[in-house]
Amino acid sequence: MAQRILALAAEEPPERLQEALQSLGESELGDVVTRQALRGRETAALLRGIFRGSPCSQQSGVLRRLQVYKHCIPLVESGDLQLSKASEIIGLLMLEARQLPGHALAELATLFVDVIKGGSLSNGKSLELFSTVLTALASSKESLAYGNGELNGEEFKKQLINTLCSSKWDPQSVIHLANMFRDIPLSGEELQFVVEKVLRMFSKLDLQEIPPLVYQLLLLSAKGSKKTVLEGIISFFNQLDKRQKEEQSVPQSVDLEVATVPLDQLRHVEGTVILHIVSVINLDQDLAEELIRHLKTEQQKDPGRALCPFSVALLLSVAVKHRLQEQIFDFLKTSITRSCKDLQFLQASKFLLDLFPQQYDVTAVILEVVKNSAFGWDHVTQGLVDLGFSLMESYEPKKPFGGKAADTGYGLSKMPAQQACKLGASILLETFKVHEPIRSDILEEVLNRVLTKAASPVSHFIDLLSNIVVSAPLVLQTSSSKVTETFDNLSFLPIDTVQGLLRAVQPLLKVSMSVRDSLILVLQKAIFSRQLDARKAAVAGFLLLLRNFKVLGSLSSSQCSQAIGATQVQADVHACYNSAANEAFCLEILGSLRRCLSQQADVRLMLYEGFYDVLRRNSQLASSIMETLLSQIKQYYLPQPDLLPPLKLEGCIMAQGDQIFLQEPLAHLLCCIQHCLAWYKSTVHLCQGAEDDNEEEDVGFEQNFEDMLESVTRRMIKSELEDFELDKSADFSLSSGVGVKNNIYAIQVMGICEVLIEYNFNIGNFSKSKFEDVLGLFTCYNKLSEILKEKAGKNKSTLGNKTARSFLSMGFVSTLLTALFRDNAQSHEDSLAVLRSSTEFLRYAVSVALQKVQQLEETGQTDGPDGQNPEKMFQNLCRITRVLLWRYTSIPTVVEETGKKKGKSISLLCLEGLLRIFSTVQKLYAARIPQFLQALDITDGDAEEADINVTEKAAFQIRQFQRSLVNQFSSTEDDFNSKETQSLITVLSTLSKLLDPASQQFLQFLTWTVKICKENALEDLACCKGLLSLLFSLHVLYRSPVGLLRELAQDIHACLGDIDQDVEVESRSHFAIVNAKTAAPTVCLLVLSQVDKVLEEVDWLIKKLTSLGSDTSEDSSQASNQTQALEKGVILQLGTLLTVYHELIQTALPAGSCVDTLLRSLSKTYAILTSLIKHYIQACRSTSNTIPGRLEKLVKLSGSHLTPQCYSFITYVQNIHSESLSFAEEKKKKKKEDEAAAVSTVMAKVLRDTKPIPNLIFAIEQYEKFLIHLSKKSKVNLMQYMKLSTSRDFRINASMLDSVLQEQNTEDAENEPDNNQSSAAEQTDKNQEPKKKRQRKQ
């Protein structure tokens, strides 16, 4: 039959063909097509023949065509045909479809919808035909029957698409359907239907099928609905990530039937999807802009939904396109700092924490992206690296580099920037660990920045470099050329950068000989450089090499202050055969360094400070170093036993023209000798081998040093100040050469005394004679110290104004304090009594401890041995704290005062030391606070580290200081020590930060603080300020302080009286601390600053409310609950604040800062009230909600308790200012013209103080303007609570107007009687309102 149809189709007139086709039944026709298609021969020709014999002009032709279509669709979908044959058939059907009439197209389209609903699509090939059918249907003009009515083609297509999107789809055909919709012209509404349906299907598909579907969706988004597509994709993967995280956090659950997605599979799918999105963005830039726009708006509402790991990874991948990089990085950086600020803001307030229990942290999200990128996300890594560097450069430390100085800015505004910089470093470090291919690039970038940013601080880059080297030391070997290139620039870098850089790359020096050799070459050149910094860099580099290249036989140093890093194992392998060669190498370096001993003082100083560490790490160099030091000191030592002084000080200075410089830091040289000798005696002696020659030689220099130090000690004690050409009459001014010389001499002599004090105490072994020597040396030191202080008092610019840095080492200070205050051994009693008898010496010991702690706090290290070893410093801090704590709590200041001559008492110094230590530990050793508190608690020495309860331990220490503070308050007025009380309050404030705000101990401490403020009528302003600040800082962590502020405001009002002198204020004293002396300005300004903080919180909440109000997502019920909670919180806070202002603006505050601050604060309050009203206007616009009763009450309160009193207060302020002006005018009349300047100053002050008044009036009127808007929108008359204001740029003064009008009346009575009456009437009208208000104001 097929052959016959083909033959007839070839004939020209189609009549015979039509007859032949009419003779075939529906099933027969289908069989013919199927057989022909399965045979794969001339199927297209057969179909063409059938179509030729079925013209669309005849009804039968249309029906036959429909039969063919209905038969071919399942045939193509059956999968029995070859792919090429199926494509051929569909292609032909698509061509012929446009000839079908509308009703046939409609029937065909309905058939397709039924097929899709039935889920019988297998390969989706026939959908190409469906798109053609729908397109043809849309352009059909005829009316088509649909249900009971009729629709045109376009509407019929819309109904079909609606039906299709509302029905169930077979998951296997979703991708084919998404592809099909690309070829159909869709209106915006239809496209939205389709996109939403496809997005809903995501969850029903297998994970592997998501990427191709996403790709089809993205191509479809070229028509529109970009935002919906992106939002849907991001939301889907965000949910998957959350579920994955929950499953990981919960141990293997019992519900095993819950299908979990394997992590690696999910990550690979996410990576592929991101690649698809990026590839589409390359073709369609609008999609990228829509992505950024969407995330920005989403971030305003809910940052957790906007910036999830998936969306951040997507943004970073897109950022590789340079056109968008800046925009994306700006957005990410803003989000990071905002997130950090919000977190900080929340944690500082219990009120906010209760409203926002879940906190979003963007830094954790970004670090999660780094972790996820390990799953082959190579397209994200470049973005991560760029973001890391961008963060580190945008938020780099602003302080000069030096120890940990860069990290000491703990202010509120600096914190987010510091966290952002730290995040940048973490991103780079983690990326470095995860992605090997990019490692050398990161390293190169870091080294480039260390070199190019030499002028600005680079501590953060050096820390990063150090961490990188530790995490993967061998990567340096592959980049050794870059490191060598960096070395070439060493002599141009600041000394701190050089030291940090060398310390960071030091593991490489042990592994790579070529790098080491290139460094030595650079350093040897630098030693002869003209630049002082270059020579210092050379010394720093050589000392580092000496410390780290061990000579055979050197003792292994367990006290090593710096870990050598992960290359230690490999380095030691190299060192085995190198250690003999190392000796020659080290001796060569020592030879180079000896040349430095003839250079400037700064260079020598570095050497003296570095030799001790070298000795400790490389003991075989002991004899060489000691010999070097011996030959150096001999240049200045006078061996004759009776010659005074024992050292040639004139050899230590150098004159250059008029200027005099220090050439040899003699005290530092002696200090170095003393420490090296002490180490040598304690260590090397114990481990001496049988090398007798060496021993004799060593003993030689050891004996030499001991004799020399003994002789210097003896002669220094005997020396008078005149022997050093120093006495009370000497000139110490820095403006003359003699004065400079004397200052240098004085500091050297004081330093030498200190060095000898430490030496004699250490070797004395508690012998009385040695301790007498110590006291003799101290007497010499003290005389000079007193002279310098005295001269400093006379001349503020002298050097003595700044105490010279002590030469005592931190370890010795802790030993000395322990011996002086805590040593109860019977055998030591007599000898220690010598030192204990001198109060000056005890005071000196404590003040040096204070200086050392201060240096540690500021720079993270101290001078002297182990000064850069954090562990040793921590142990010494613990020992010093124990002693100071015992001394302060055992001997109260009051007891000590009687025997005090001058200077601070020892107890007070101990307290200052404790205060510094507590803040230093929280800054530098935050992670070790439990061990620190444990070390202070002598009773509980054996507790396990894990058992340490920081809150309990801190509460125990707090109780000791509470007792001292109570004693201060209960002491007589003469015994009250303001300085001590202030320090105690600050100590309590510092320790309170260690308490957990949720603990019972915190609540007890807060209750105690409230009680102290209520019961003590403290008149000392500084103590009052400290105590109230402590109260506020505790209270905000417990609950909102508005109630407390109201009570304080009432007390201020009662103390200072009312602005209307006729009104007697009811005395309701809550806090005794508020009294006539402290109420203004101290307490008033503190209350206002705390009010401002509450206003900031409220303002932040209103912004959150506004962003929540614009959120129209599915979780609207949850959002509305949160909105209601926030609104309630805001209104309650503002309501209570209005009552605080109600009290303050009726208080007769003195002119000045209080009035000025209050006026500004009121303006801010009205601005915040206005923004709240705007929020409700917006809410009324978007929903038909009525305004809550709470808001109405707030508006009523502002109308009755705030605005009228504001105007009265403005009048009061202007009155007191006009009084001060008139007083100044009177003075001007009485005195001569030279007083004119004073008057102009008063006028300028009045102008300055009244400046906030117009701003306040404007703020009030803005508030009332928006109230009118809200009244119209909500149909609630809110203006009924507001009275019209009378303050403008002009004011009608009732009494003055009265008198003027009366005068006018008497003059014009005869001429104009009518006018007289009208004037009187007018006067009555105009003055009615002001008269009422004037009753309180006169």
Side-chain angles (χ1 to χ4, degrees):
M1 188 65 199
Q3 292 305 319
R4 189 176 165 216
I5 292 171
L6 284 169
L8 289 172
E11 292 177 12
E12 191 47 50
E15 284 78 12
R16 287 179 62 202
L17 176 61
Q18 287 171 10
E19 285 169 20
L21 287 170
Q22 272 167 358
S23 66
L24 286 172
E26 188 177 333
S27 58
E28 287 174 90
L29 185 65
D31 290 345
V32 169
V33 173
T34 305
R35 276 197 302 275
Q36 193 74 0
L38 289 173
R39 283 180 196 153
R41 289 207 304 262
E42 298 178 309
T43 317
L46 175 68
L47 287 174
R48 275 195 209 95
I50 294 171
F51 287 144
R52 188 160 182 252
S54 314
C56 289
S57 53
Q58 299 171 6
Q59 185 62 28
S60 59
V62 171
L63 285 172
R64 197 176 304 116
R65 282 186 175 227
L66 269 177
Q67 285 168 15
V68 171
Y69 272 93
K70 285 176 183 176
H71 184 78
C72 283
I73 291 166
L75 179 64
V76 168
E77 287 297 332
S78 66
D80 297 337
L81 302 182
Q82 290 175 352
L83 204 59
S84 59
K85 194 56 64 183
S87 298
E88 192 182 4
I89 293 170
I90 289 295
L92 184 66
L93 294 179
M94 282 164 69
L95 277 171
E96 295 292 335
R98 296 200 174 273
Q99 307 202 9
L100 288 171
H103 66 89
L105 286 169
E107 194 178 333
L108 202 51
T110 312
L111 168 78
F112 263 112
V113 171
D114 292 339
V115 168
I116 293 165
K117 275 185 184 175
S120 52
L121 285 178
S122 63
N123 58 13
K125 198 75 196 156
S126 59
L127 287 176
E128 292 175 30
L129 174 60
F130 185 28
S131 63
T132 310
V133 169
L134 280 178
T135 308
L137 186 62
S139 55
S140 169
K141 297 286 182 284
E142 63 184 280
S143 294
L144 306 166
Y146 184 83
N148 297 330
E150 287 189 343
L151 298 171
N152 64 24
E154 180 63 44
E155 286 167 347
F156 195 90
K157 179 200 78 168
K158 186 177 180 178
Q159 286 300 333
L160 279 178
I161 289 175
N162 204 342
T163 311
L164 189 57
C165 291
S166 310
S167 60
K168 189 179 176 185
W169 290 3
D170 178 16
Q172 291 179 327
S173 56
V174 177
I175 295 170
H176 303 308
L177 285 164
N179 186 21
M180 174 202 78
F181 280 113
R182 284 172 49 206
D183 301 327
I184 302 171
L186 297 169
S187 68
E189 195 182 344
E190 290 164 352
L191 183 62
Q192 191 70 13
F193 274 151
V194 171
V195 166
E196 283 172 4
K197 173 65 180 174
V198 175
L199 287 170
R200 282 199 300 275
M201 291 303 295
F202 271 21
S203 55
K204 297 182 176 66
L205 291 181
D206 186 43
L207 201 59
Q208 296 297 346
E209 291 174 355
I210 300 282
L213 178 56
V214 165
Y215 189 67
Q216 293 303 330
L217 250 187
L218 290 165
L219 294 176
L220 184 61
S221 73
K223 293 169 178 276
S225 291
K226 290 181 170 62
K227 179 174 177 285
T228 314
V229 170
L230 290 167
E231 190 174 1
I233 295 169
I234 290 170
S235 171
F236 173 72
F237 283 109
N238 191 11
Q239 290 304 321
L240 276 183
D241 279 344
K242 278 183 185 168
R243 204 177 313 145
Q244 184 77 37
K245 201 180 278 183
E246 281 163 19
E247 284 169 11
Q248 283 177 343
S249 61
V250 178
Q252 285 302 311
S253 61
V254 188
D255 314 326
L256 291 172
E257 62 271 14
V258 178
T260 57
V261 178
L263 182 66
D264 56 342
Q265 189 187 344
L266 173 62
R267 295 287 172 254
H268 285 123
V269 166
E270 286 178 337
T272 313
V273 167
I274 290 171
L275 271 176
H276 282 328
I277 297 176
V278 172
S279 65
V280 173
I281 281 175
N282 289 342
L283 305 170
D284 182 3
Q285 290 293 342
D286 294 346
L287 190 63
E289 276 153 23
E290 186 59 57
L291 171 69
I292 297 168
R293 203 176 306 124
H294 162 63
L295 289 178
K296 277 183 180 173
T297 51
E298 199 64 29
Q299 201 237 0
Q300 294 295 329
K301 303 174 202 167
D302 180 5
R305 212 166 57 197
L307 287 178
C308 55
F310 179 80
S311 62
V312 171
L314 175 57
L315 277 176
L316 291 171
S317 303
V318 174
V320 178
K321 291 274 149 204
H322 291 292
R323 196 174 75 82
L324 298 166
Q325 187 174 38
E326 195 177 335
Q327 205 177 342
I328 288 173
F329 281 1
D330 283 350
F331 168 60
L332 284 173
K333 285 192 284 195
T334 312
S335 304
I336 288 164
T337 46
R338 185 182 295 159
S339 163
C340 295
K341 276 178 191 165
D342 284 358
L343 266 177
Q344 200 180 352
F345 206 56
L346 283 170
Q347 284 159 0
S349 164
K350 183 74 168 71
F351 166 66
L352 291 179
L353 273 176
D354 290 342
L355 288 172
F356 289 92
Q358 287 182 319
Q359 295 164 20
Y360 168 72
D361 184 7
V362 75
T363 56
V365 171
I366 292 177
L367 289 174
E368 199 173 320
V369 174
V370 181
K371 196 170 74 182
N372 295 350
S373 69
F375 293 91
W377 291 9
D378 295 340
H379 44 283
V380 179
T381 48
Q382 190 55 51
L384 278 170
V385 172
D386 292 345
L387 176 66
F389 280 117
S390 179
L391 283 170
M392 287 186 80
E393 286 174 335
S394 304
Y395 304 106
E396 60 190 6
K398 297 288 179 277
K399 285 202 168 190
F401 178 87
K404 291 193 172 67
D407 302 337
T408 52
Y410 281 80
L412 192 73
S413 58
K414 287 189 180 177
M415 277 299 279
Q418 282 181 351
Q419 286 170 337
C421 181
K422 200 172 166 187
L423 173 65
S426 303
I427 291 170
L428 289 169
L429 179 60
E430 295 306 312
T431 309
F432 183 90
K433 287 178 184 173
V434 172
H435 298 280
E436 243 175 86
I438 209 164
R439 283 179 176 180
S440 54
D441 295 350
I442 293 177
L443 183 69
E444 202 161 311
E445 286 293 319
V446 173
L447 286 170
N448 282 340
R449 279 164 174 79
V450 170
L451 289 180
T452 54
K453 290 181 166 285
S456 55
V458 288
S459 56
H460 52 309
F461 284 116
I462 285 178
D463 290 343
L464 173 62
L465 179 64
S466 187
N467 291 333
I468 281 176
V469 174
V470 169
S471 69
L474 294 179
V475 74
L476 276 170
Q477 265 192 298
T478 55
S479 305
S480 56
S481 59
K482 184 68 200 170
V483 178
T484 312
E485 190 187 317
T486 310
F487 286 160
D488 292 339
N489 295 292
L490 275 188
S491 50
F492 305 111
L493 298 176
I495 182 66
D496 296 313
T497 307
V498 171
Q499 285 177 313
L501 181 63
L502 290 176
R503 219 174 287 138
V505 300
Q506 162 244 315
L508 178 64
L509 302 176
K510 295 204 150 203
V511 184
S512 168
M513 291 301 125
S514 60
V515 173
R516 189 187 78 175
D517 293 342
S518 66
L519 174 63
I520 290 168
L521 266 174
V522 168
L523 296 179
Q524 281 180 333
K525 279 184 199 166
I527 266 189
F528 298 105
S529 166
R530 284 183 173 185
Q531 303 299 321
L532 178 63
D533 268 2
R535 296 203 294 278
K536 284 163 81 171
V539 171
F542 277 142
L543 286 170
L544 182 98
L545 289 170
L546 283 178
R547 280 203 299 274
N548 290 305
F549 285 87
K550 287 204 171 166
V551 178
L552 196 62
S554 281
L555 301 165
S556 65
S557 169
S558 56
Q559 322 102 294
C560 166
S561 70
Q562 185 204 337
I564 285 176
T567 46
Q568 185 65 63
V569 180
Q570 190 184 1
D572 285 347
V573 172
H574 283 261
C576 284
Y577 65 85
N578 265 342
S579 50
N582 278 352
E583 183 164 14
F585 163 70
C586 288
L587 290 172
E588 184 192 338
I589 290 178
L590 268 176
S592 300
L593 288 178
R594 278 197 195 98
R595 295 192 196 111
C596 298
L597 290 173
S598 58
Q599 295 190 1
Q600 280 97 330
D602 282 1
V603 180
R604 301 186 194 194
L605 199 61
M606 284 191 74
L607 268 180
Y608 299 150
E609 286 175 349
F611 270 152
Y612 176 79
D613 257 352
V614 171
L615 202 59
R616 206 163 47 84
R617 300 273 284 276
N618 218 339
S619 58
Q620 282 296 301
L621 297 175
S623 53
S624 305
I625 289 175
M626 296 302 253
E627 289 293 347
T628 306
L629 291 172
L630 185 61
S631 63
Q632 188 71 5
I633 191 71
K634 277 183 176 172
Q635 297 174 36
Y636 307 98
Y637 173 64
L638 300 166
Q640 297 88 331
D642 300 327
L643 205 58
L644 299 180
L647 297 161
K648 284 191 287 192
L649 286 181
E650 58 276 8
C652 301
I653 56 169
M654 180 183 74
Q656 198 171 38
D658 298 343
Q659 292 178 309
I660 289 179
F661 299 100
L662 176 68
Q663 175 73 11
E664 175 66 74
L666 194 55
H668 284 87
L669 171 59
L670 263 181
C671 187
C672 175
I673 289 172
Q674 188 262 118
H675 289 310
C676 289
L677 188 61
W679 177 86
Y680 183 79
K681 285 163 73 172
S682 64
T683 317
V684 179
H685 261 348
L686 303 175
C687 314
Q688 277 289 344
E691 298 173 22
D692 295 333
D693 305 344
N694 261 2
E695 208 165 312
E696 282 169 27
E697 180 193 326
D698 292 354
V699 168
F701 69 67
E702 187 185 332
Q703 192 61 50
N704 257 332
F705 277 133
E706 284 181 359
D707 294 347
M708 191 184 291
L709 289 168
E710 177 62 39
S711 169
V712 173
T713 301
R714 200 179 61 254
R715 288 189 275 165
M716 283 297 284
I717 294 167
K718 284 182 189 170
S719 298
E720 295 294 328
L721 291 183
E722 287 77 2
D723 296 327
F724 301 105
E725 299 173 24
L726 301 169
D727 58 20
K728 283 192 175 181
S729 59
D731 174 16
F732 284 96
S733 68
L734 291 179
S735 50
S736 68
V738 177
V740 171
K741 185 193 80 170
N742 286 343
N743 265 306
I744 292 173
Y745 277 6
I747 286 163
Q748 291 303 314
V749 172
M750 285 163 70
I752 291 164
C753 288
E754 284 192 306
V755 170
L756 294 171
I757 286 171
E758 183 167 345
Y759 172 72
N760 283 290
F761 188 96
N762 285 338
I763 64 160
N765 197 16
F766 292 93
S767 82
K768 195 171 180 181
S769 61
K770 281 291 174 198
F771 283 5
E772 281 165 354
D773 288 352
V774 167
L775 210 52
L777 289 163
F778 172 69
T779 309
C780 175
Y781 169 88
N782 203 35
K783 277 183 200 165
L784 263 177
S785 175
E786 291 298 324
I787 289 173
L788 283 180
K789 275 182 196 163
E790 193 183 312
K791 299 282 180 183
K794 289 176 188 169
N795 182 3
K796 293 291 175 200
S797 64
T798 58
L799 192 80
N801 201 13
K802 205 170 135 197
T803 317
R805 215 179 255 175
S806 173
F807 280 80
L808 303 185
S809 64
M810 185 80 159
F812 174 67
V813 171
S814 68
T815 309
L816 179 64
L817 286 175
T818 310
L820 291 176
F821 296 125
R822 299 290 283 142
D823 193 332
N824 300 323
Q826 199 69 41
S827 56
H828 299 165
E829 199 171 324
D830 286 353
S831 51
L832 283 170
V834 173
L835 298 178
R836 288 172 180 165
S837 64
S838 165
T839 315
E840 288 294 330
F841 185 70
L842 297 177
R843 189 179 299 149
Y844 160 75
V846 178
S847 58
V848 170
L850 192 60
Q851 189 195 92
K852 291 284 170 191
V853 174
Q854 187 174 350
Q855 191 189 1
L856 184 66
E857 183 181 24
E858 287 167 3
T859 63
Q861 55 193 46
T862 62
D863 298 329
D866 298 319
Q868 295 179 358
N869 181 344
E871 180 54 43
K872 286 277 173 65
M873 286 298 104
F874 179 70
Q875 289 167 9
N876 288 328
L877 262 188
C878 292
R879 287 175 68 196
I880 290 172
T881 315
R882 266 206 304 273
V883 177
L884 296 184
L885 197 55
W886 177 86
R887 175 68 175 71
Y888 179 72
T889 49
S890 307
I891 306 172
T893 325
V894 185
V895 177
E896 201 184 318
E897 294 284 336
T898 50
K900 190 185 80 165
K901 286 183 284 185
K902 53 186 172 176
K904 288 180 187 170
S905 69
I906 295 171
S907 285
L908 194 51
L909 279 171
C910 288
L911 183 59
E912 280 181 29
L914 288 167
L915 173 55
R916 276 209 173 275
I917 290 170
F918 290 141
S919 62
T920 303
V921 169
Q922 285 185 36
K923 273 186 190 178
L924 301 182
Y925 299 102
R928 304 199 58 186
I929 285 171
Q931 292 90 314
F932 174 72
L933 292 172
Q934 177 76 7
L936 301 191
D937 192 353
I938 304 147
T939 54
D940 188 20
D942 305 325
E944 287 291 316
E945 278 200 13
D947 300 340
I948 301 170
N949 182 331
V950 173
T951 297
E952 274 180 25
K953 298 275 182 199
F956 174 73
Q957 298 302 337
I958 284 173
R959 281 196 293 279
Q960 300 198 56
F961 292 106
Q962 280 176 310
R963 280 195 289 276
S964 302
L965 189 59
V966 170
N967 291 341
Q968 277 294 332
F969 286 140
S970 54
S971 62
T972 59
E973 201 171 316
D974 297 341
D975 289 338
F976 178 78
N977 186 329
S978 167
K979 184 82 178 131
E980 183 174 1
T981 309
Q982 285 173 52
S983 298
L984 277 169
I985 292 167
T986 318
V987 166
L988 286 169
S989 180
T990 310
L991 286 173
S992 69
K993 292 172 188 163
L994 304 178
L995 295 175
D996 174 12
S999 66
Q1000 194 58 40
Q1001 288 91 335
F1002 182 86
L1003 185 55
Q1004 285 166 356
F1005 183 44
L1006 172 60
T1007 315
W1008 177 85
T1009 311
V1010 172
K1011 184 167 173 275
I1012 286 283
C1013 292
K1014 285 190 169 179
E1015 293 174 3
N1016 290 288
L1018 193 63
E1019 292 196 342
D1020 186 283
L1021 298 184
C1023 296
C1024 167
K1025 191 174 180 180
L1027 206 50
L1028 277 178
S1029 301
L1030 171 64
L1031 177 61
F1032 288 141
S1033 67
L1034 294 171
H1035 209 286
V1036 290
L1037 296 175
Y1038 176 62
R1039 64 162 179 253
S1040 174
V1042 283
L1044 181 73
L1045 292 169
R1046 180 171 54 199
E1047 292 182 355
L1048 283 164
Q1050 286 169 353
D1051 288 350
I1052 294 170
H1053 191 184
C1055 271
L1056 297 177
D1058 199 273
I1059 52 174
D1060 184 348
Q1061 292 166 6
D1062 301 342
V1063 173
E1064 196 171 319
V1065 184
E1066 180 191 342
S1067 181
R1068 296 166 289 186
S1069 180
H1070 304 95
F1071 288 90
I1073 200 169
V1074 183
N1075 49 54
K1077 198 162 184 185
T1078 59
T1082 311
V1083 179
C1084 180
L1085 287 177
L1086 276 170
V1087 166
L1088 285 171
S1089 76
Q1090 196 58 38
V1091 164
D1092 271 0
K1093 284 177 187 169
V1094 178
L1095 285 175
E1096 269 177 42
E1097 289 177 9
V1098 171
D1099 193 28
W1100 187 82
L1101 282 175
I1102 293 173
K1103 282 174 186 158
K1104 285 276 172 201
L1105 265 176
T1106 311
S1107 59
L1108 277 173
S1110 59
D1111 192 354
T1112 52
S1113 60
E1114 303 109 46
D1115 314 326
S1116 54
S1117 61
Q1118 187 188 343
S1120 74
N1121 290 342
Q1122 193 181 6
T1123 304
Q1124 282 173 9
L1126 292 184
E1127 285 175 353
K1128 182 181 175 184
V1130 165
I1131 291 171
L1132 288 177
Q1133 290 289 86
L1134 282 173
T1136 319
L1137 280 185
L1138 293 192
T1139 60
V1140 174
Y1141 283 122
H1142 177 67
E1143 294 292 339
L1144 290 176
I1145 53 180
Q1146 292 184 83
T1147 306
L1149 293 170
S1153 56
C1154 288
V1155 168
D1156 190 42
T1157 313
L1158 179 56
L1159 288 170
R1160 288 177 201 281
S1161 188
L1162 282 164
S1163 301
K1164 197 182 288 183
T1165 306
Y1166 275 107
I1168 286 169
L1169 281 168
T1170 309
S1171 57
L1172 181 66
I1173 298 299
K1174 283 179 183 173
H1175 161 69
Y1176 278 106
I1177 292 173
Q1178 188 62 41
C1180 287
R1181 200 173 288 156
S1182 54
T1183 58
S1184 55
N1185 290 350
T1186 54
I1187 58 168
R1190 264 192 228 101
L1191 180 72
E1192 212 173 323
K1193 282 181 188 168
L1194 181 71
V1195 173
K1196 186 177 179 180
L1197 189 66
S1198 72
S1200 63
H1201 277 56
L1202 193 64
T1203 309
Q1205 284 79 359
C1206 269
Y1207 288 122
S1208 305
F1209 186 67
I1210 288 169
T1211 308
Y1212 163 76
V1213 172
Q1214 290 179 327
N1215 285 345
I1216 56 174
H1217 284 317
S1218 60
E1219 279 169 23
S1220 63
L1221 268 178
S1222 58
F1223 178 66
E1225 286 291 339
E1226 281 172 29
K1227 274 178 76 179
K1228 187 178 177 183
K1229 284 172 192 169
K1230 286 177 192 170
K1231 299 200 178 178
K1232 293 179 185 174
E1233 286 178 11
D1234 57 344
E1235 293 295 317
V1239 175
S1240 61
T1241 311
V1242 172
M1243 288 185 73
K1245 185 175 182 299
V1246 167
L1247 275 172
R1248 191 171 63 247
D1249 289 350
T1250 51
K1251 206 174 181 183
I1253 292 176
N1255 297 341
L1256 173 59
I1257 292 172
F1258 176 73
I1260 295 173
E1261 292 181 355
Q1262 281 294 99
Y1263 171 56
E1264 290 174 358
K1265 170 185 160 186
F1266 283 100
L1267 272 181
I1268 295 168
H1269 280 313
L1270 183 58
S1271 299
K1272 287 176 184 171
K1273 283 264 183 288
S1274 62
K1275 311 288 187 291
V1276 176
N1277 181 14
L1278 295 169
M1279 287 306 290
Q1280 63 184 332
Y1281 307 117
M1282 311 304 284
K1283 291 179 183 171
L1284 283 176
S1285 58
T1286 56
S1287 283
R1288 287 290 184 283
D1289 293 341
F1290 61 89
R1291 181 183 292 103
I1292 299 167
N1293 188 325
S1295 53
M1296 198 179 286
L1297 181 72
D1298 225 3
S1299 59
V1300 170
L1301 282 172
Q1302 279 174 5
E1303 281 171 28
Q1304 192 182 347
N1305 287 349
T1306 50
E1307 286 170 18
D1308 301 347
E1310 293 138 18
N1311 305 336
E1312 297 176 32
D1314 298 340
N1315 189 33
N1316 182 11
Q1317 285 168 5
S1318 65
S1319 297
E1322 203 175 308
Q1323 170 205 339
T1324 317
D1325 291 345
K1326 278 188 181 180
N1327 287 344
Q1328 200 169 11
E1329 187 65 29
K1331 263 191 176 176
K1332 267 193 225 167
K1333 294 185 78 68
R1334 290 299 299 169
Q1335 284 172 9
R1336 282 176 58 88
K1337 286 183 220 160
Q1338 280 162 11

